[in-house]
Amino acid sequence: MTRTESGTYRVFESDRGESIRLVERGTEDPITVRADGYDDALQSTVDGLRPGYLVAATLDWAEDDGPAFADLSVERETLFVFVDGTPDIFDQAERTFQQSTRDREPIASDVTYGTDGEANGVVYTVAKQRGERDVFDSFRTGRMTIEPMLDKLEDGGAEPPYEVFVIRPETHPFVALYFTLQKDGLLANTLRDEYDRPRPSGA
């Protein structure tokens, strides 16, 4: 018997090339969906998915090996970029983390501005946690949500899509999340150059 469910999902990278990881908005429970074997139109949409995209999808759970897409459309083309093990971090992130340390808060944020004085991004720092939870990997796999941060950007008047950089420096006790307000803008392109993360083809 065919069983389907529909919802709004965020796309994440899968550890397996033949599948796509989705996380339904409002949850932290990844779903692995088959990435091939569709008709031409649907396959083209699936092939164009990138980490960070927000999609409306109907999933068909008829197969024993997991769900497949029955319907799919892209709603927001926000991009996520994950940078692990960088030897350094930008000054604004360090200052934001220092403020969180002074305030004894695990998460802190600050707005960044371009040379024209206009806001161009928001940086968050999240203190690394002792024990088993890997903060960076939890963000990378969708098991730690950033949806409230994205919602806050929209509530503040910034229109998606954005580019979001999740960065784990080697020698600092925090993970930085940098939300650049303009996709393919100067700030996003500067960060991609700095961390050698070319924009995906077609994204």
Side-chain angles (χ1 to χ4, degrees):
M1 181 176 67
T2 299
R3 181 169 68 90
T4 62
E5 63 179 46
S6 299
T8 304
Y9 302 86
R10 189 72 64 178
V11 177
F12 290 83
E13 285 186 349
S14 174
D15 296 328
R16 299 180 296 170
E18 70 276 10
S19 61
I20 292 171
R21 179 183 284 119
L22 301 179
V23 177
E24 187 170 12
R25 292 198 77 186
T27 77
E28 295 180 339
D29 299 316
I31 302 168
T32 301
V33 184
R34 177 163 55 83
D36 55 21
Y38 302 103
D39 64 53
D40 290 348
L42 181 54
Q43 188 67 60
S44 178
T45 304
V46 173
D47 290 345
L49 295 180
R50 299 291 182 268
Y53 279 19
L54 186 69
V55 302
T58 298
L59 304 181
D60 183 348
W61 292 79
E63 301 295 332
D64 292 337
D65 58 352
F69 290 107
D71 191 43
L72 175 67
S73 62
V74 176
E75 296 195 339
R76 296 281 190 274
E77 293 184 344
T78 289
L79 288 173
F80 290 172
V81 185
F82 295 93
V83 183
D84 193 11
T86 180
D88 51 25
I89 192 69
F90 51 92
D91 292 342
Q92 187 85 20
E94 287 198 75
R95 290 194 296 270
T96 303
F97 178 71
Q98 289 167 3
Q99 184 62 51
S100 74
T101 301
R102 289 191 292 269
D103 295 340
R104 297 184 179 181
E105 295 290 344
I107 301 175
S109 66
D110 199 6
V111 178
T112 63
Y113 298 88
T115 55
D116 58 1
E118 295 291 326
N120 62 3
V122 179
V123 59
Y124 286 81
T125 58
V126 181
K128 293 180 180 177
Q129 299 178 7
R130 295 180 180 177
E132 295 183 359
R133 188 164 200 182
D134 182 327
V135 172
F136 177 85
D137 194 60
S138 294
F139 283 127
R140 186 185 65 82
T141 60
R143 295 185 181 278
M144 193 168 178
T145 184
I146 66 172
E147 295 298 333
M149 303 175 192
L150 292 167
D151 290 342
K152 191 171 182 179
L153 290 182
E154 289 197 51
D155 291 344
E159 295 186 4
Y162 319 112
E163 294 195 45
V164 182
F165 294 78
V166 183
I167 306 165
R168 173 161 58 184
E170 286 182 343
T171 58
H172 296 71
F174 63 86
V175 172
L177 296 90
Y178 203 167
F179 295 75
T180 68
L181 302 185
Q182 184 179 356
K183 182 180 177 181
D184 199 15
L186 177 61
L187 177 59
N189 291 334
T190 299
L191 289 168
R192 285 188 176 278
D193 290 343
E194 174 70 22
Y195 296 112
D196 192 23
R197 293 297 190 276
R199 184 167 290 101
S201 175

